Amino acid sequence: MTRLHAAVEHAARDLRLAARGLLRARAFTASAVLTLSLGIAGTAVMFALVHAVLLRPPPVREQDRLIVAWKAYPAGGFDYAPFSAADIDVVARESRSFERVAGLSRHGAWPGVAVERDAASHLSTTCVTGSFFATLGVAPLLGRALEHADDVAGAEKVLVISHGLWQRRYGGAPDVIGRRVALSDPPFRIVGVMPPGLDYPVGVEGWMTVEAQVSLTGTLREAVRQENVLLARLRPGVTREQAGLELQGLVGRLEVERGGPRGLTVVVRSFDDVVVGDVRPAMLVLLAAVGLVLLIACANTANLMLVRGEARRSELAVRAALGASRGTLARQLLAESLLIALAAGLAGLLAARGALPLVLALVPGGLPRLEAVRIDATVALVTAALALVSAALAGVAPALFAARTDVASRLRSGRSHGAADAARGRRVLVVGQVALAVAVVAAAGLLARSLLRLQRVDMVLDADRLVVVALAFAPAGEKEAPMPPRFHDEVVTRLRGIPGVESATPVNNPPLAGVSGWDAPRSRAEGQTVELARGNPSLNVEAVYPNHFRTLGVPMRRGRAFTADDGPKAPLVAVVSADVAQRFWPSQDPIGKRIRMGLEDPDEPWRTVVGVVAPIRYRDLAVARPTLYVPAVQFIETPQAYLMR
């Protein structure tokens, strides 16, 4: 007990002496604290992101037993084919690998407009089956989750909202349960609030049932039932590989029974990989980069402390001559390093707290779990640990060099052997700083080169001259006047009347919006046998309006574009990309040929090809997908935005 008391007294004395010394050297103290705090702040911000997105578990039960599955069609060049609602019912009924099975829209969170108390606002929703939350194993924070009884025809339209929406729009009010939100007429009733951290699919603010979504989509209601991702909870002891083999067998059997495309393969991934897998490598690389910056800051601080130690050698020599041991001198210098690091840690934590909202504003929209990013106790503890590590990295070597004072030579000539050691130490630190800086600059150069390559990708679109005007319609209510029949034509006319606007057109999804479009995994050209048609590639389907290709600057290779005469009651027509024409009608003129989305479905109409356009990169920069264009008025009802050129 006496030794402990003495150690505490010595430590307190060392800290008092260190504080006095740092106060006398204010310029050095400010420089060291500022240098180190910047590195700590950057690392703390990045760790807060990594902790929320990658390390903090989502509020689901036994996440390692959750899998997400979809189908791929290698023969058709299509790596993301959905499950239908009927497929999911078969899996839920017959599978022995899964404890629970659910489905959710493959299109993720979809932007829309909600009206509440005569005020309209944006609301991103997705549709799921009634067993979705039970499969996830997540309990609502308020109210109840969606249930199977909500996902049947004629059921009341109900909505479960996210914790973020509850806080932003309703201020965390407990009486949110039972409120009415008009996404359609009749409106939806809010029945539950999910806990914070549940962000699946990414960006979702409200969950509705598939049956409720079907009632909102007009002509696309059947497609909603066909476009689902399978979510399942494994039974105890079942592996992902075993589940994948069973799913593959079920899909193969359904292919034979329903006459769908042959050669579909099942893709099974863990829930964690689906939610954060795509962003994990980038975030870890960024964390490593800011870690290197922190090391550079530590080396800078160590250099400052070496210079300060060299200037204090006479003082240290006198103290050594008066009886101070090398251990005492080193301990007192380390106390200075500790105080600097603690001050830098506190300043860095405050800077990180202030910078985090700015960083979040710059984060791409696809990053999951942003709602959970905050400076919490874990981040504060990690910041404190960073400060202590920084103190060790920045202070140990300078303390050892400064404590190695040759008292006799220093008092006799003013120089000592330790000065040469300190000079060598500074050179080593400078070399280390340069090496770390080169590594950071090299990594930044690689990222810049990748960005330049992306910018040089030939999209075929006239992207530099395109402007997107977002559009969202409030749901129709009893007091609202009906939309004029030529509303969109009037909007386009007014947009074209703006000085500098050459062309304008409605679009259902803007280019590179990160929203998956509609696909036709099965398609057939007139004259093809069913077996031959099974090898056709999956087609990206774009519902477009007159003037679409002219606005985007896409060249017509043959034939014509759509016009106002291609209306709902006109003959069904289509425009195809050049790669589709080459695949379906090699060495033939595609104009006048017929194509349909389906193999033998008698209800699927034939469409006459009237034009061929250049392949473009509309959905993503990775590849120009084979595309079938159809007049929007013959396919879906309401555009979501306008493009101007």
Side-chain angles (χ1 to χ4, degrees), residues 82-323:
F83 282 86
S84 68
D87 293 339
I88 293 173
D89 288 341
V90 170
V91 173
R93 187 171 59 251
E94 300 184 13
S95 171
R96 293 176 295 178
S97 299
F98 303 127
E99 192 176 272
R100 284 185 178 273
V101 177
L104 68 152
S105 171
R106 62 160 295 208
H107 300 287
W110 195 264
V113 172
V115 175
E116 187 177 11
R117 297 177 179 176
D118 297 326
S121 58
H122 290 278
L123 180 65
S124 295
T125 60
T126 192
C127 61
V128 299
T129 61
S131 57
F132 176 76
F133 292 109
T135 303
L136 283 179
V138 57
L141 190 66
L142 284 179
R144 66 172 179 86
L146 297 177
E147 300 170 351
H148 178 71
D150 300 318
D151 197 20
V152 296
E156 180 189 13
K157 293 180 181 178
V158 295
L159 187 72
V160 172
I161 63 174
S162 69
H163 183 271
L165 181 69
W166 179 51
Q167 292 293 323
R168 289 191 304 274
R169 184 173 299 179
Y170 302 104
D175 62 351
V176 68
I177 304 301
R179 292 195 186 186
R180 301 281 177 173
V181 178
L183 295 165
S184 66
D185 189 20
F188 283 68
R189 182 170 62 91
I190 297 176
V191 296
V193 177
M194 285 294 115
L198 185 63
D199 190 24
Y200 183 62
V202 176
V204 66
E205 295 177 311
W207 294 266
M208 67 178 67
T209 64
V210 171
E211 191 60 38
Q213 177 67 24
V214 165
S215 68
L216 301 181
T217 54
T219 58
L220 295 180
R221 60 185 57 195
E222 190 55 36
V224 172
R225 295 190 175 97
Q226 304 296 324
E227 301 274 325
N228 295 283
V229 175
L230 185 143
L231 173 72
R233 176 172 292 277
L234 298 174
R235 294 185 185 275
V238 177
T239 65
R240 270 194 297 163
E241 291 72 19
Q242 292 170 333
L245 289 174
E246 186 184 35
L247 273 178
Q248 186 65 59
L250 289 172
V251 167
R253 196 197 77 196
L254 291 174
E255 287 179 9
V256 176
E257 292 178 356
R258 298 176 182 173
R262 303 295 174 86
L264 289 171
T265 61
V266 176
V267 179
V268 178
R269 292 179 62 186
S270 70
F271 178 78
D272 183 64
D273 282 345
V274 170
V275 175
V276 301
D278 293 339
V279 302
R280 188 190 306 274
M283 296 197 69
L284 293 179
V285 167
L286 289 175
L287 182 61
V290 296
L292 290 178
V293 173
L294 178 59
L295 287 178
I296 294 173
C298 290
N300 273 325
T301 305
N303 250 329
L304 289 172
M305 298 186 73
L306 279 173
V307 172
R308 172 169 163 78
E310 179 64 23
R312 298 176 62 193
R313 282 196 176 272
S314 297
E315 172 200 339
L316 297 176
V318 171
R319 291 169 63 184
L322 293 175

Side-chain angles (χ1 to χ4, degrees), residues 560-582:
R560 67 171 178 86
F562 299 131
T563 68
D565 293 332
D566 298 314
K569 297 181 180 180
L572 300 182
V573 293
V575 171
V576 297
S577 56
D579 47 356
V580 174
Q582 180 61 32

Side-chain angles (χ1 to χ4, degrees), residues 383-406:
T383 304
L386 286 174
L388 294 176
V389 171
S390 301
L393 293 175
V396 170
L400 292 177
F401 281 130
R404 291 177 58 189
T405 302
D406 187 345

